[in-house]
Amino acid sequence: MGLVVGGLVVGVLGGCDSAGDTLPGRSRPIFEHGWADPGELALGPAAFTPPDPNAAFVETSSGVQAYVVPGGAADPLVRITAALPLGRLHEAEGEVGASALLAQLLTTRGPAGSEQPLSLRLAELGTSLSAVETLDATHISLHVLPEDWREGLELLVELVRNPDLDAVAIGAYRAGPGYSMPMAGIGGDGFRPKVELERRLGGYPLAPPDAGTAVSPAAVRALAARSLASDRVVFGVGGAVSRDEVEEALESETRGWAAGGGSAEEANVVELTTSASASGGISGRFHGVDVPSLEGWIAIGRAVGAVPESDRAALSVLRFILAERLNIAAREIRGLANRDDFEIPVTGSGSGLLVVRTGGRPEAVAPLVRYSLDEIERMHDPDEPVTEAEVARAKGWLVEAVWRRSLELATGASETFAVEHVRRGGTDQLMGWPGAVGAVTAQDVKAVAREYLDPSGFVTVVAGPLERIRAARHPRWPVALDDLEAELSGR
């Protein structure tokens, strides 16, 4: 045993003598493996039949729409979702900040006139509310045991149909900063560099309203009248339920609920103005935000307006390929970060923010910006090809992972159908997604890269301890933040 251990020690130390075989600060040689390429593996067929949204669709006499997806043994719970056309893109003049406040009231105050506080009713059901807010849609969900689904549905209908728009609570409300603290992680809409980037690119409604913004009771009531009308809300009920029983309960709980004026397609939706995202309309392509933190955090992006349907699938394939390349450049090759990601908007129109998110220790920040911008440039360059293998991996992820996962369980499918209906008026695009993705070619990806990834339109925001970041130098990748700032500012 001693000989074996000694041999291992000699082998490891021997690897350290060769500078080309180890990373800085590491005593272990770079690991090499003989794993087969995933494409070489002989895997069995992965058959998947999604639930039929047309068979799941229900509409009550009051105009309330819903998707009811009964589940099997894999769905021991019931998920109940209310999807609402609620978000900053639905705010009319004088309603700035009203969507976030209305979502807060819906999920904290309980129905108007309720004899029990919301927290107690949720505790009795053994559940909690989950709210997801985006630019053009908000959905509120809860999970309950199968024997409690009627009470769960009753509560969610009450919350949306009869919200407690308390004037005192509204008067006391002030919009927050729009971002989350402490400075950690790169996920979510509260990622501070992303919010700072939105404010510099176009401001509200792309960015949250300014901190301290007050909202009037009249603005909340007006937005609620539109967003919470019976023909605007779409419910999803999935899991261990009977469709007939849910349909009967929905009819009973929603009878007499007033509809909104006009058609659902006429509901107010503000289109993002993206002229500020052109390079000539921005005061500088680099912005630093000094924030006390152990690390620096980065957002690199641009705003886009409505994306044509013909570009959606190719842009999604591009998103996966660029994210993969970013992670190879930043994490796998250089060890600069745990994650370097690229995101595209999830709104119904496709408008929003194209953004790279990443972060790392002070000495890694400038290299992360440099190599992330290089990957954007490489993707945009018409002479830099996209490989068929990259396209195949992206297609597999988009369809077999993301799309399939959203529809695989009844609980997930019911929510997916409801949110998609609110966002896009139906589920045709959702169900046609595998075919649209399957038709994307490498040439299509390069075409959308030329359209959407012009590096001159991208703006970089770095948030963190700027003095430390400016002074730091990575031992292997000594990029200086001051040099990058001068380059991006044209100095």
Side-chain angles (χ1 to χ4, degrees):
M1 184 65 182
L3 291 175
V4 174
V5 173
L8 288 174
V9 172
V10 170
V12 171
L13 293 178
C16 296
D17 293 333
S18 175
D21 292 336
T22 60
L23 294 173
R26 305 296 180 91
S27 60
R28 179 176 62 79
I30 296 175
F31 182 64
E32 295 183 4
H33 65 76
W35 300 333
D37 184 279
E40 299 173 358
L41 299 176
L43 302 175
F48 171 63
T49 302
D52 181 359
N54 295 320
F57 184 74
V58 170
E59 185 168 5
T60 71
S61 60
S62 61
V64 171
Q65 298 171 318
Y67 289 90
V68 182
V69 185
D75 288 303
L77 299 176
V78 177
R79 175 183 286 175
I80 306 167
T81 300
L84 319 169
L86 182 63
R88 294 196 295 274
L89 294 185
H90 290 283
E91 293 173 348
E93 186 176 355
E95 296 176 357
V96 174
S99 61
L101 173 53
L102 182 53
Q104 178 178 305
L105 294 172
L106 289 171
T107 54
T108 58
R109 294 195 61 84
S114 177
E115 296 180 358
Q116 288 182 306
L118 177 60
S119 58
L120 180 57
R121 294 186 67 177
L122 291 170
E124 290 176 346
L125 289 170
T127 189
S128 60
L129 290 175
S130 171
V132 177
E133 302 173 51
T134 66
L135 281 173
D136 67 344
T138 295
H139 64 274
I140 304 169
S141 299
L142 54 82
H143 281 88
V144 293
L145 293 171
E147 58 266 30
D148 294 326
W149 72 261
R150 287 181 182 272
E151 290 80 0
L153 178 62
E154 178 183 347
L155 173 58
L156 199 53
V157 170
E158 284 184 45
L159 286 172
V160 178
R161 181 177 181 177
N162 190 26
D164 184 0
L165 307 181
D166 181 73
V168 174
I170 294 171
Y173 174 83
R174 297 294 183 273
Y179 51 80
S180 302
M181 295 294 282
M183 294 280 292
I186 66 172
D189 285 337
F191 181 53
R192 180 165 184 177
K194 173 181 178 287
V195 175
E196 300 283 2
L197 179 63
E198 290 169 340
R199 287 179 170 151
R200 285 159 175 79
L201 287 175
Y204 171 88
L206 179 63
D210 294 335
T213 298
V215 183
S216 70
V220 177
R221 288 195 295 268
L223 182 61
R226 296 196 309 273
S227 298
L228 307 184
S230 66
D231 54 348
R232 302 288 194 264
V233 180
V234 180
F235 287 94
V237 182
V241 294
S242 159
R243 175 194 161 92
D244 291 341
E245 291 179 348
V246 173
E247 187 171 1
E248 179 185 353
L250 276 169
E251 177 64 36
S252 174
E253 294 297 331
T254 63
R255 189 172 292 118
W257 190 345
S263 66
E265 288 74 19
E266 294 168 353
N268 181 67
V269 180
V270 177
E271 187 54 63
L272 286 177
T273 301
T274 60
S275 57
S277 66
S279 58
I282 303 170
S283 58
R285 291 178 53 210
F286 178 89
H287 298 273
V289 182
D290 196 23
V291 177
S293 175
L294 294 176
E295 299 179 285
W297 304 96
I298 302 162
I300 305 171
R302 57 160 296 194
V304 292
V307 176
E309 191 65 41
S310 57
D311 288 348
R312 301 285 184 92
L315 186 60
S316 293
V317 172
L318 165 65
R319 183 258 156 182
F320 176 89
I321 294 173
L322 181 53
E324 183 179 61
R325 289 185 177 187
L326 286 166
N327 277 290
I328 290 172
R331 183 184 65 202
E332 305 301 334
I333 294 177
R334 298 181 175 92
L336 294 169
N338 290 326
R339 183 178 169 200
D340 195 350
D341 204 4
F342 177 63
E343 298 178 359
I344 63 176
V346 296
T347 53
S349 67
S351 61
L353 190 68
L354 301 175
V355 61
V356 173
R357 301 173 181 244
T358 188
R361 294 176 59 83
E363 65 271 18
V365 171
L368 280 169
V369 174
R370 171 75 281 156
Y371 299 120
S372 295
L373 288 171
D374 286 351
E375 290 305 316
I376 293 173
E377 174 66 46
R378 187 161 74 95
M379 183 65 81
H380 182 258
D381 187 345
D383 295 326
E384 288 283 348
V386 168
T387 69
E388 295 299 333
E390 288 179 309
V391 174
R393 284 195 299 273
K395 290 180 177 182
W397 178 76
L398 287 169
V399 175
E400 299 301 330
V402 180
W403 181 82
R404 176 170 171 169
R405 190 187 308 129
S406 73
L407 298 173
E408 202 158 26
L409 297 179
T411 47
S414 60
E415 180 178 88
T416 298
F417 290 153
V419 175
E420 181 75 4
H421 192 113
V422 161
R423 188 169 271 152
R424 308 190 70 175
T427 58
D428 289 347
Q429 290 90 346
L430 173 70
M431 303 314 290
W433 187 240
V437 170
V440 172
T441 65
Q443 290 73 29
D444 295 331
V445 175
K446 290 304 294 185
V448 295
R450 293 292 297 168
E451 174 70 21
Y452 297 99
L453 292 189
D454 183 353
S456 66
F458 278 72
V459 175
T460 298
V461 169
V462 171
L466 293 183
E467 185 176 348
R468 291 180 58 202
I469 292 171
R470 292 185 189 284
R473 294 294 183 275
H474 193 281
R476 179 170 263 191
W477 322 107
V479 181
L481 189 66
D482 288 342
D483 294 341
L484 276 174
E485 184 173 0
E487 174 189 331
L488 296 175
S489 302
R491 299 200 301 266

